[in-house]
Amino acid sequence: MSTLPAERMRELYGRWSELWRGDFSHAPEILDPDFVVHQARPDGSDSEASKGPARLLPEIEQTMAAFGDITITVDVGPIVQGDLIAARWTMRARYTGGLDHATAPVGTPIAFSGHDILRVSGGKFAEYWTCTDVLAGLTQLGAISGPNGPARPNA
């Protein structure tokens, strides 16, 4: 159980949000060396196979490579209960290209939401459960069937 007061937990979540805006300077200060991500991955790979900042930061970099003009708003929370903190967020951005099967032109606006639950231990994030509406984002980019039409067939 975290001994951090709720306000300190919320400040920690603010620094977490800064990571997702590209500021990695404080990653070692807020991510436990054994930080674990629990995530359903579209490719079926094991999200827990690697640990620590090295597991998370490349994923953030990949997101930043595919999108520009990123804004992330916290829609609900952060809510603190014991050693857990949770929030719902929405990311808005413009597609910059490079995603497999995407048919949307560069510059296409995109928005999708997700939920974070993080466990704090020793003043750092130790575990992360995420549920992100990746399907909504891929649909907006025409990478899967949906309102923007079918995905481009595999060659």
Side-chain angles (χ1 to χ4, degrees):
M1 186 70 68
S2 175
T3 58
L4 294 179
E7 188 55 37
R8 175 67 180 106
M9 295 272 283
R10 286 184 188 91
E11 289 172 10
L12 195 59
Y13 189 82
R15 296 181 81 198
W16 167 263
S17 296
E18 291 171 11
L19 286 178
W20 287 93
R21 291 180 182 99
D23 181 359
F24 297 168
S25 63
H26 54 273
E29 298 165 23
I30 68 166
L31 299 177
D32 189 90
D34 291 323
F35 177 78
V36 177
V37 176
H38 306 282
Q39 175 186 42
R41 299 187 54 85
D43 64 2
S45 63
D46 181 3
S47 72
E48 301 171 24
S50 62
K51 296 183 178 0
R55 161 59 183 89
L56 181 67
L57 300 182
E59 188 168 319
I60 296 172
E61 288 172 331
Q62 289 172 356
T63 300
M64 295 181 74
F67 301 101
D69 301 326
I70 296 172
T71 61
I72 300 170
T73 56
V74 177
D75 305 320
V76 177
I79 300 166
V80 176
Q81 182 175 352
D83 63 348
L84 299 173
I85 188 162
R88 177 175 171 78
W89 50 264
T90 299
M91 182 180 115
R92 289 175 180 79
R94 293 207 175 274
Y95 180 54
T96 58
L99 292 180
D100 289 342
H101 308 293
T103 59
V106 167
T108 297
I110 182 173
F112 59 91
S113 297
H115 303 275
D116 294 337
I117 300 174
L118 295 123
R119 184 177 65 81
V120 175
S121 178
K124 296 183 178 188
F125 292 118
E127 290 184 90
Y128 172 43
W129 292 266
T130 182
C131 180
T132 303
D133 194 356
V134 173
L135 293 178
L138 292 173
T139 299
Q140 292 169 57
L141 295 174
I144 61 172
S145 295
N148 291 340
R152 180 176 40 184
N154 290 334

